[in-house]
Amino acid sequence: MSYLHSRLGGHEEPERVRDVQPRTAARTTREEPADGGFRKIRCRAEVTGLHAVNLVADITDAAALAPIVIVDLSLTARIDAVGLGALVSGARACRDAGSELRIVGANGMVAQALRFTGLSRALSTHATVEDALRGR
């Protein structure tokens, strides 16, 4: 059990998440709407040290193509300190590219990690993609 995991109550992954997304599917997928107004990156299963570099690269690529980059964490059951750092690095890359990073769908341990570290206030977090696009 990691330090962050133990500090956040040591909750197990919800059973429904394990059934939907196995641990081997812990990579990002990009969705690119036809209108070009935003790019959405959906993270799978977990965002940990092994996957953080890919997430930052995906965010950086998307920031060069669209004014709004949305990172969807709704399927993510686990995030560690390196994953949180990737979100911060992604936000910096977006700012440098003149775009904006918006986080959506964080729940469970991921939402707790964002609140515990203060990133829920520092990053633009939203419940849904629609809320993120409206800027709520």
Side-chain angles (χ1 to χ4, degrees):
M1 183 181 304
S2 71
Y3 172 76
L4 183 60
H5 190 253
S6 66
R7 294 281 295 165
L8 297 174
H11 299 295
E12 292 294 318
E13 290 181 32
E15 193 64 36
R16 64 179 175 75
V17 174
R18 262 190 244 139
D19 290 341
V20 173
Q21 295 297 329
R23 287 194 175 276
T24 58
R27 64 178 186 272
T28 61
T29 58
R30 286 189 281 182
E31 296 178 21
E32 301 181 4
D35 67 1
F38 70 96
R39 294 290 187 265
K40 184 168 99 172
I41 301 167
R42 178 175 293 212
C43 296
R44 302 279 178 111
E46 61 184 33
V47 179
T48 61
L50 298 173
H51 312 105
V53 173
N54 293 336
L55 178 59
V56 173
D58 285 346
I59 292 171
T60 303
D61 291 346
L65 299 172
I68 297 172
V69 177
I70 295 175
V71 175
D72 184 350
L73 298 174
S74 60
L75 297 177
T76 305
R78 184 171 167 249
I79 191 166
D80 67 1
V82 178
L84 294 170
L87 293 176
V88 172
S89 295
R92 187 176 305 122
C94 284
R95 187 189 65 225
D96 292 346
S99 64
E100 184 179 345
L101 179 69
R102 298 179 185 178
I103 310 296
V104 301
N107 55 57
M109 187 181 142
V110 175
Q112 285 180 335
L114 290 172
R115 279 193 304 273
F116 181 74
T117 59
L119 290 177
S120 63
R121 290 185 307 275
L123 299 174
S124 179
T125 58
H126 305 273
T128 65
V129 172
E130 292 77 21
D131 289 345
L133 292 175
R134 285 192 295 259
R136 288 183 169 172

